[in-house]
Amino acid sequence: KDGTIVALGAENIGKTGADGKPSARLPVIVRLSPKGKLLGKTVLTRGGPARWYDIKDALVLDNGDIVVAGEARRDDADAASAEGYVLRVTPTGKEIWGRMIPPSQGQGQRQGVSVTALTQVDGALIAAGREGRALTYFRLSLDGQLAWRRSLPPKQTAVTASEFCAAPDIAKRLGMAEGDGAESRNSTSAPLMNLAEVSAFACRPAPSFTAATALAVRPGGFLVLGVSGRDGDGMTRITMTAIKNNGDVVWEATHGDGPVNVATGALATADGGFVVSGITTNWGRDVLLFKTSATGAVQPFTGIGPKAEAKPQPKPAATEPAKDEKNTSPEQPVGDAAAPPRPAALRGPAAGN
């Protein structure tokens, strides 16, 4: 509120071994004046064994306190060892409370947890991220008490895809089997790729995954934006999950058919729907923007901002038709009502052409 700029990041701490590898990485809060002058820097030291902390999201509360969330790993490259964390600190960087988010009971010790999105709803904190291959979200009070925690497993291969891969005529469906006929193959053409490779890639039992990318407030709850896909595909889809304040799912929707689609934010609209932004590689590497209904269905998007004002058109000069003995048409009006002759470039083709 006073114009102070707060920057968040991480700082490598200590060195071990001949390679000089840092022993840990800790969250850092840097405060700057509106003119960029350094006002202070705080390293959020953590107890317990050395860990590698990454900040994934942050939220400024009405009183100026900052809530920071992310993941902490035992080793920089060991994502499976990650635990999520949420910290609340004062504007000067003093910790008020901190909570680690370990894997759920019964999920095993190799289900890494990461908190990637934060929002404030109904006087509480909502956090979301991933747990192993599942999307996870939970509610915290403003003093750090866990109210509830939920997980949504990734969607498995669609029934149509399972039926396709189990069909005895899969070769014909792929259109590259021997003996399909001259209409699909001839002696001079070759299949684009080996049928066995196509079948192995399309029908392999690759595990699916899903994770949260952003949160948005909606009436009576919140919206979790996420990403889903299968290992090795290089393809991701956008997921939208509407959730009540008690954690129950209201509806789910999935969008995107290209190689990579990721939603990075959403805003609720007056009709109960959302405007969603993100990135896509469907047409290269582009910004993605679309509008949904109150149940997540894509709607036509008419644009952003006010309509462009129409530029006034100059009045055509008054003309008088040339007097021609062969012209037997009625006299043309003159003045503002006169119809100027069309330029040659706009005239239609001559009769018979």
Side-chain angles (χ1 to χ4, degrees):
K1 294 181 179 180
D2 61 359
T4 300
I5 300 169
V6 177
L8 304 173
E11 182 173 320
N12 293 338
I13 305 296
K15 295 183 181 297
T16 59
D19 59 357
K21 180 181 178 181
S23 58
R25 183 163 58 229
L26 297 176
V28 174
I29 296 179
V30 176
R31 295 182 297 114
L32 304 171
S33 71
K35 294 184 178 181
K37 181 181 178 180
L38 179 64
L39 300 178
K41 170 186 170 183
T42 303
V43 178
L44 301 178
T45 57
R46 315 299 304 148
R51 295 196 179 216
W52 296 72
Y53 283 80
D54 282 331
I55 295 177
K56 301 295 186 180
D57 200 9
L59 176 70
V60 179
L61 302 180
D62 291 340
N63 68 343
D65 287 350
I66 305 166
V67 181
V68 182
E71 67 178 63
R73 300 183 298 276
R74 286 193 294 268
D75 184 87
D76 189 28
D78 187 9
S81 71
E83 291 187 3
Y85 73 87
V86 181
L87 302 173
R88 178 174 175 176
V89 299
T90 66
T92 59
K94 181 180 179 181
E95 182 175 327
I96 299 173
W97 54 259
R99 173 176 283 276
M100 300 300 296
I101 311 296
S104 301
Q105 292 183 357
Q107 295 297 317
Q109 298 300 315
R110 302 299 292 174
Q111 298 286 331
V113 178
S114 180
V115 181
T116 54
L118 286 169
T119 193
Q120 187 175 359
V121 176
D122 193 28
L125 298 173
I126 299 295
R130 67 162 181 88
E131 179 174 357
R133 296 182 175 277
L135 184 150
T136 186
Y137 56 96
F138 51 93
R139 179 180 176 123
L140 296 170
S141 64
L142 292 179
D143 60 0
Q145 299 302 310
L146 181 66
W148 48 255
R149 180 177 176 180
R150 305 281 191 276
S151 291
L152 295 176
K155 302 296 183 183
Q156 300 302 318
T157 305
V159 174
T160 53
S162 300
E163 293 175 348
F164 175 87
C165 293
D169 62 342
I170 183 174
K172 289 185 178 180
R173 296 191 183 202
L174 289 172
M176 286 184 278
E178 296 291 342
D180 277 350
E183 67 277 6
S184 60
R185 298 190 59 176
N186 55 55
S187 59
T188 60
S189 65
L192 294 178
M193 59 181 70
N194 183 276
L195 174 60
E197 294 178 358
V198 174
S199 176
F201 180 83
C203 303
R204 71 195 189 286
S208 302
F209 65 86
T210 183
T213 57
L215 289 165
V217 179
R218 57 178 295 274
F222 54 96
L223 177 76
V224 180
L225 293 173
V227 60
S228 66
R230 289 198 309 166
D231 283 357
D233 272 359
M235 301 178 65
T236 60
R237 306 190 74 191
I238 293 170
T239 63
M240 300 178 66
T241 308
I243 299 174
K244 296 180 181 178
N245 281 330
N246 64 1
D248 293 343
V249 174
V250 182
W251 52 259
E252 298 177 86
T254 305
H255 302 296
D257 293 317
V260 175
N261 295 276
V262 178
T264 56
L267 291 175
T269 55
D271 60 0
F274 297 91
V275 173
V276 181
S277 63
I279 60 172
T280 180
T281 60
N282 285 21
W283 308 279
R285 187 171 182 85
D286 298 316
V287 173
L288 180 66
L289 190 68
F290 61 94
K291 170 76 171 66
T292 74
S293 68
T295 56
V298 173
Q299 294 181 323
F301 196 84
T302 57
I304 300 177
K307 294 182 179 179
E309 296 182 2
K311 295 182 179 180
Q313 299 295 325
K315 294 182 178 180
T319 59
E320 184 176 350
K323 295 181 180 180
D324 189 341
E325 294 179 358
K326 295 181 180 180
N327 184 7
T328 58
S329 60
E331 183 178 354
Q332 296 291 328
V334 296
D336 292 341
R342 298 177 66 198
L346 300 180
R347 294 173 187 164
N353 290 346

